[in-house]
Amino acid sequence: MEEIRSLKVINELGMHARAAGQIVGLAGKYKAKLFLRKDSREVDGLSILSILSLACPKGGEVEARIIGVDAKEFIDELERLFKGKFGETGRGQYRPKKKTMKGFPVSPGITIGKAHHLDRSKTTVFYRKLINKKEVDREIDRFRQAVDMAKGQIQKFKSNIPELVKGYAFVLDTHSMILDDSLLFDSTLQRIQKEKVNAGWALKKSVDNIHQLFKKVEDEYIGRGMDDVDSVSERVLRNLTGVEPDSLVGIKGKVIVVAHSLSPCDIVELNVSYVMGILTDVGSRTSHMAIMSEALEIPVVVGLESATDMIVDGDLLIVDGNTGDIIINPEPDTIISYEDKKKRYNSYKSAIDRVRHLPAETSDGYKITIKANIEFLGEAKTAIENGAEGIGLYRTEYLYMIKRDFPDEQTLFDDYSQIAKMVAPNPVTIRTLDIASDKMMASDSDMVTSREDNPALGLRSIRFCLSERNVFKTQLRAILRASVYGNFRLMFPMISGLGQFLDAKRVLKSVMRSLDRDGIEYNREIPIGILIEIPSATSIADILAKHADFFSIGTNDLIQYALAIDRDNEHVAHLYEPFHPAVLRMIHQVVKAGNKEGIDVSLCGEIAGDPLAILILLSLGLEEFSMNIGSIPLIKKMIRMLPLGEVRDHFKGILQVSTSKKVESFVLKRAQSLLPNIFEEDVFRYRATGTS
C-alpha cells in the first residue's frame, strides 16, 4: 500500500531538529517506509540529518510518500503532527537555540545524533541514629549484604565483558578490591558500631574521609583511584536503598549518552551498535572510564561541567572527539559542514589504520622506532595491535594504588613476567615506582598530619624509593626475576644528579647479589637508564650519559619543572608551553649528550604523539618515541610520508626562534608544505596541550 500527501509546515521554527526527531520517532512505530520530498529532493524519513537537510521553513511544503501495510494510519498521524505544529504551542513552545560547549576529548572521532540522558545522580543519603544493639546489628548485616551484592554485580559485569574491552577486566577487579579495603569496609563497620548511625550515612562518612585524606595529593594515579572509590560506593548505596540505576542496556536506538559521570561498569554494559558517543559533566582524560571508552572507538568528551543541565533529552548534538567541541541544536549548514568533516576524518583514519603495522620508516630510508606508553597490563595487547614496536614506558604505580598496603614481590612478579612475555621479543622499558610519600602515609594513622604541603617537589619517585629501601628492593627483585621472560630495560625516574643515580644502581646491585645467593635467575646485563625530567638532569646530561645505558626524556614533568607550571591548574594551564624555546633547547642538549656517549635517547612525553611536535623532535635528532596508544597510527603514517633529510633541512634555525607562538607558526608553515594532506585539512588534533 502506498499513500502520498502534501503537508504544510506551519510551526514558527520550521522543520528544525526537534521536529525532525519527532518525524523519525513516528516512523519507527509503523510497518511502513517514509520518504519526504521538497522540490526535486526526496529523502529517507528515518534519517534525522536527511530531513534537516531539506531546510524547510515555516510556510514551506513537503510531500510525504509512505509505502507499507500501515501507510494509511502512519500518514494520518504524520499529518496531525504537522498540523499540531510539532508541539510548538502556548507557553511551552520549544525554541531550540544553538549552543556550544567545550570539554576534554578522550576518544577521537566525530558523531552527530540525538541526546539520551542517563541518570547518574548520586543517591541521597539521610542520617539516622540507631537506638539499640539490635538496630546496629541489622545495619551491619544490611551493609555486608549490600557489599556482597555489589561484588556479585561486578563479577557479572566481568563475565559479560565485551571483547573490545576485555583487556581492561582488571579495572573491575580493582572495584572488588576497593570493596574489601579497610579504609572503606572496616571503617564503615566501625562507624555503624561506634557512632550508632545507619549504614548509608556511615559509608558516606568513610568515603568523605578518603577524599579528605587525598584531596591535596597531586599524583594523578591517586586521583583516578578516587573516581573508582566513588563508583564503588555509589553501587553499594544503591543496593542499600534498593534504587535501580538507569541502565545502558535498555538503549535500543542510536543515541549520544549524556550523563553526570560513567563508571567502568557502564562501559562494559555499553552496546556500540546504539551508543554513538558519550558526554559527561565530570571526569578526566586519565580516568578508567576514559581509557576503556577509547578502546570502543566512539567519540567521548568529559569534563563538560554542565552538559546534563544544558542538553535536553532529544536535542540534536554534534560531538567532536578530536577537539572536545560540542554543538547543541546546530544549524543545517553546520550539520552539513560536520558531516563532511566526519567523512574526511573517517577516510583519513582508514588510511592511517592501514599502515599501523608497517615499519615507521621515512620516505628516504631512515628507521624511526615507535613504542607505547602504558600503565596497565591489559593495555599491552592494544598497544601491539596499534603498531607499537615495544613498550617505551611501563608505569608501575597501578598495583600500588589499588590496595592500602604495598604489593608483595610475587604480585609484582606475576604482572611484570606477563608483560615481558606478551611483548617479547620487543623491549619493555619498565619505570620504577614513581609515587609520592602520601601512599606510604596512607598506611599510617598519622597520615593527615604527616602529609607534605607540596608532594610534587617532595618525597616522591626515586627519592621515596631511596628512603623506603625495602619497598624499592621488593620491586627491583620482581623486575629482575621477570627479566628472563622477555626483553626488559630498567629506568629510574626523577633523577636530579649523578649521586642519586649511582645510589639507585648500588641498591640494584645489592638486590642482584641477594638473587645470586638465592640461586634465582635474572638478566645480569639488563640495561639501566634514566628518565630525564628535571632541568638539573638536562644540565648535566653529559655527565649522566657516561654512567647510563640509555636516556628517555619525560617531557610531561620536564616542561612543568622548567616553566614552574602546573598544567592541571586552570589559572596557569595556558602557560604550559611544550614549544617553549627553553624546552626545545633542553631536549636538544640531552640528545647531543647521549649521541656523544653512544647511548640510545628516546622521548616518552605526551608531545611525542603530537603531529606538530614530532616534526620538531625529528629535526632535533631524536629517532625513538614512546606515546599514548591512540597516537601511534597517525604518527607512523606521518613518518612514512616524510623525507627526514628534508625535515632537518627545513627546521634549521628552530632553536633560535624566540617564543612558543613563533615556534608553532614556524612549524605549522613547514608542516603544511611537507604534509599538506594532513595539516591543511584540520581533521585531527595536532596542537600540543598548552599551545595556542
Side-chain angles (χ1 to χ4, degrees), residues 368-565:
I368 307 298
T369 303
I370 304 295
K371 299 178 182 177
N373 297 335
I374 68 170
E375 55 197 83
F376 311 121
L377 180 64
E379 291 180 294
K381 181 183 177 186
T382 307
I384 301 303
E385 288 173 348
N386 275 271
E389 300 166 272
I391 305 302
L393 174 63
Y394 185 34
R395 304 178 177 102
T396 58
E397 290 69 39
Y398 174 72
L399 291 174
Y400 292 80
M401 300 315 308
I402 61 176
K403 296 185 71 176
R404 189 181 185 188
D405 300 322
F406 291 111
D408 58 29
E409 181 183 325
Q410 189 61 38
T411 299
L412 296 173
F413 167 75
D414 289 343
D415 186 89
Y416 302 160
S417 57
Q418 282 187 69
I419 194 167
K421 293 171 187 174
M422 288 171 71
V423 180
N426 287 326
V428 175
T429 300
I430 186 165
R431 182 181 73 182
T432 58
L433 188 58
D434 186 2
I435 201 171
S437 58
D438 298 75
K439 171 60 185 179
M440 173 185 71
M441 291 183 282
S443 302
D444 301 335
S445 59
D446 60 344
M447 174 185 170
V448 177
T449 57
S450 301
R451 191 194 306 119
E452 298 176 294
D453 290 333
N454 192 347
L457 300 178
L459 187 63
R460 59 166 291 201
S461 198
I462 196 65
R463 302 169 183 175
F464 170 73
C465 289
L466 291 175
S467 172
E468 298 296 316
R469 298 207 174 192
N470 288 336
V471 175
F472 193 27
K473 287 180 178 180
T474 297
Q475 184 181 34
L476 291 176
R477 278 182 64 94
I479 292 171
L480 289 173
R481 285 175 56 198
S483 66
V484 298
Y485 294 95
N487 183 3
F488 264 7
R489 303 199 310 171
L490 178 62
M491 180 166 68
F492 297 126
M494 209 178 176
I495 295 293
S496 59
L498 179 61
Q500 200 176 48
F501 181 52
L502 295 178
D503 199 5
K505 289 180 77 173
R506 280 191 287 271
V507 176
L508 179 65
K509 290 292 183 186
S510 72
V511 171
M512 288 179 167
R513 288 194 293 271
S514 74
L515 290 173
D516 288 337
R517 287 193 297 271
D518 294 339
I520 297 174
E521 188 180 358
Y522 63 93
N523 177 12
R524 298 173 183 276
E525 304 301 323
I526 186 171
I528 313 299
I530 298 173
L531 184 59
I532 304 286
E533 52 187 340
I534 296 180
S536 62
T538 69
S539 297
I540 59 166
D542 56 331
I543 297 172
L544 294 172
K546 298 178 188 297
H547 301 269
D549 296 318
F550 66 92
F551 284 159
S552 185
I553 305 172
T555 49
N556 294 1
D557 274 344
L558 179 61
I559 295 166
Q560 292 194 111
Y561 289 132
L563 305 181
I565 293 298

Side-chain angles (χ1 to χ4, degrees), residues 2 5 32 38 58 76-77 149 199 206 208 215 321 338 348 394 441 453 456 477 500 547 599 612 642 669 682:
E2 181 178 41
R5 197 170 296 177
K38 180 175 176 285
K58 179 183 179 182
D76 287 343
E77 190 168 352
M149 192 184 302
S206 295
D208 288 346
K215 73 177 183 179
Y338 267 89
Y348 275 114
Y394 185 34
M441 291 183 282
D453 290 333
R477 278 182 64 94
Q500 200 176 48
H547 301 269
I599 67 171
L612 272 187
L642 285 169
K669 182 178 179 181
D682 191 29

